[in-house]
């Protein structure tokens, strides 16, 4: 639901799908590249990997669920390493001195937008946003830093469900359930006013999730 609402919010505020490359601003357009870390099993020694799911501004909540679930199940059900795991494994085989040169080369290619497409596809540092679930670990949400490599402009962390007692206007006390979100964003892709307007819209979508069951009425375009 959190992801589906974010996707729908980009329909009205398309600048949230921008990224920085070579000190210039670009947009992913209608392609929302969602990244997430997945553990094959919920245990401390279980390996984890990163998935990248391509969502669209026209997706409904059901579309988002199906695409995300398919990517997660593919990781959990295959005994083989993912493309991300294989790429990371190759880098670990490079000797330390040569690895520094390789990292410099990758940074240089990334700056000029010349990284090969297959590397962009497996890279968790390139995309539209990254969600991490602190709730699945049983801890509160955290502020996660943005990476200094790649172009990922948004990092979202949500924590475990919590209960809070609140006093209503009539003096009665009610208990409500909450899930906290903490978001780190690259302010270079949009200004603070734009972000604030987006979050107000995002909150309204979460308050009325039924609108996510249908395709958006309007999809605004962004810069080329």
């Amino acid at each position: 639901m959190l992801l589906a609402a974010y996707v729908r919010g980009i329909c009205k505020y398309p600048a949230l799908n921008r990224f920085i490359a070579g000190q210039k601003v670009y947009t992913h357009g209608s392609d929302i590249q969602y990244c997430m870390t997945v553990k094959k099993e919920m245990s401390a020694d279980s390996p984890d990997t990163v998935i990248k799911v391509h969502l669209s501004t026209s997706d409904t909540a059901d579309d988002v669920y199906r695409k995300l679930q398919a990517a997660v199940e593919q990781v959990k059900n295959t005994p083989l390493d993912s493309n991300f795991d294989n790429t990371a494994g190759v880098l670990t085989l490079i000797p330390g001195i040569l690895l520094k040169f390789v990292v410099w080369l990758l940074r240089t290619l990334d700056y000029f937008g010349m990284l090969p497409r297959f590397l962009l596809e497996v890279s968790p540092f390139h995309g539209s946003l990254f969600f991490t679930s602190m709730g699945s670990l049983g801890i509160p949400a955290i502020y996660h830093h943005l990476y200094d490599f790649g172009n990922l402009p948004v990092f979202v962390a949500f924590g475990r469900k919590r209960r809070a007692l609140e006093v209503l206007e009539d003096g009665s006390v009610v208990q409500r359930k909450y899930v906290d979100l903490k978001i780190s964003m690259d302010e270079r892709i949009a200004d603070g006013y734009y972000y604030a307007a987006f979050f107000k819209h995002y909150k309204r979508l979460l308050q009325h999730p039924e609108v996510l069951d249908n395709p958006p009425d309007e999809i605004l375009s962004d810069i080329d």
Side-chain angles (χ1 to χ4, degrees):
M1 186 60 64
L2 297 173
L3 179 58
Y6 191 95
V7 170
R8 184 59 54 86
I10 291 179
C11 295
K12 186 173 182 179
Y13 296 95
L16 269 294
N17 204 26
R18 294 176 181 175
F19 64 95
I20 303 292
Q23 299 181 5
K24 295 182 180 180
V25 182
Y26 300 92
T27 180
H28 291 292
S30 60
D31 180 26
I32 302 171
Q33 300 177 16
Y34 169 67
C35 302
M36 185 178 73
T37 300
V38 177
K39 291 184 73 67
K40 294 198 173 186
E41 296 178 358
M42 291 303 294
S43 61
D45 57 351
S46 173
D48 54 57
T49 187
V50 176
I51 62 172
K52 180 175 290 185
V53 183
H54 290 270
L55 304 173
S56 173
T57 48
S58 61
D59 284 346
T60 63
D62 184 61
D63 295 327
V64 172
Y65 175 80
R66 286 188 294 101
K67 290 180 180 181
L68 179 59
Q69 197 67 16
V72 172
E73 291 300 322
Q74 182 178 8
V75 169
K76 289 185 175 182
N77 293 333
T78 177
L80 302 177
D81 292 335
S82 67
N83 291 333
F84 166 78
D85 300 326
N86 293 329
T87 304
V90 170
L91 292 176
T92 60
L93 297 176
I94 301 175
I97 297 178
L98 183 57
L99 181 60
K100 289 185 178 181
F101 171 75
V102 172
V103 172
W104 172 84
L105 179 61
L106 291 175
R107 286 182 178 273
T108 303
L109 292 175
D110 186 45
Y111 181 85
F112 290 104
M114 298 175 62
L115 276 179
R117 184 176 295 274
F118 80 91
L119 284 180
L120 292 175
E121 186 61 30
V122 301
S123 171
F125 311 110
H126 296 79
S128 302
L129 73 156
F130 204 115
F131 263 60
T132 182
S133 171
M134 298 294 99
S136 62
L137 305 178
I139 61 177
I142 62 169
Y143 283 112
H144 195 287
H145 63 85
L146 296 178
Y147 300 119
D148 59 0
F149 173 72
N151 59 28
L152 198 78
V154 180
F155 212 114
V156 184
F158 60 94
R160 64 171 183 258
K161 291 181 288 185
R162 64 177 178 88
R163 301 174 185 269
L165 296 176
E166 298 182 353
V167 180
L168 303 182
E169 293 183 356
D170 61 2
S172 60
V173 178
V174 297
Q175 185 183 79
R176 290 176 174 166
K177 298 178 182 179
Y178 289 95
V179 172
D180 296 321
L181 291 178
K182 293 190 176 181
I183 306 175
S184 301
M185 312 185 82
D186 189 340
E187 74 282 358
R188 295 175 299 172
I189 65 172
D191 59 36
Y193 181 88
Y194 195 94
Y195 279 136
F198 167 79
F199 282 124
K200 291 178 181 178
H201 182 60
Y202 185 63
K203 183 178 180 180
R204 287 193 294 268
L205 290 172
L206 292 177
Q207 291 173 334
H208 300 281
E210 66 277 1
V211 302
L212 304 176
D213 291 335
N214 301 311
D217 297 327
E218 181 181 19
I219 301 176
L220 301 182
S221 59
D222 195 23
I223 58 176
D224 296 326

